[in-house]
Amino acid sequence: MNPIFNQIGTVFVPVSNIEKARDWYCDILGLPADGEILFGHLFIVPMHGTGLVLDSKIYSKNNIFTAPAFQFLTDNIERAYTYMEGKKVELTTGIEHNQWFNFKDADGNLLMVCKC
């Protein structure tokens, strides 16, 4: 029996300013930005499924995501795109194949929204 599960527990995102990143991610996800910052550099974003941790201790310009390491899910890609436009998020693609689009967070990490 393999001791390593075929399951992803948490994705760590390098961010330069933990408070600013917490507020930004909570805003786009419609979450209250009142969660505790742990050890002065970690914020655990309340998620369903795989965890998301913002970490300012691992941040450097060389560590930002230049390709999406994960995707946020939506059941309405057009509505999600319009929502992100309204939030003034830096969109780096249009809606591709009616399935997905990419955008950047406040630190330049490349992220994705994908239709499920």
Side-chain angles (χ1 to χ4, degrees):
M1 183 192 248
N2 192 328
I4 308 295
F5 301 143
N6 63 340
Q7 182 177 5
I8 295 174
T10 300
V11 175
F12 284 78
V13 178
V15 298
S16 61
N17 180 307
I18 195 64
E19 291 88 3
K20 182 179 171 185
R22 174 197 59 198
D23 295 349
W24 189 90
Y25 277 83
C26 287
D27 180 51
I28 67 160
L29 295 172
L31 301 168
D34 57 2
E36 180 182 3
I37 293 173
L38 304 172
F39 313 110
H41 68 97
L42 296 171
F43 179 70
I44 301 168
V45 181
M47 301 291 290
H48 299 286
T50 301
L52 184 62
V53 175
L54 310 177
D55 189 349
S56 62
K57 192 171 187 176
I58 64 171
Y59 176 82
S60 81
K61 290 188 181 203
N62 293 330
N63 287 347
I64 63 170
F65 298 156
T66 57
F70 63 91
Q71 61 192 10
F72 291 105
L73 298 178
T74 184
D75 62 358
N76 188 322
I77 197 71
E78 294 86 8
R79 188 167 155 234
Y81 192 86
T82 301
Y83 174 80
M84 296 296 265
E85 281 181 317
K87 292 282 185 186
K88 307 289 189 228
V89 171
E90 183 182 350
L91 300 165
T92 62
T93 68
I95 298 171
E96 302 293 328
H97 307 288
N98 198 34
Q99 291 294 312
W100 59 273
F101 65 88
N102 288 343
F103 65 97
K104 289 185 178 180
D105 73 3
D107 287 302
N109 287 295
L110 192 60
L111 304 168
M112 177 184 280
V113 172
C114 191
K115 185 176 172 181
C116 56

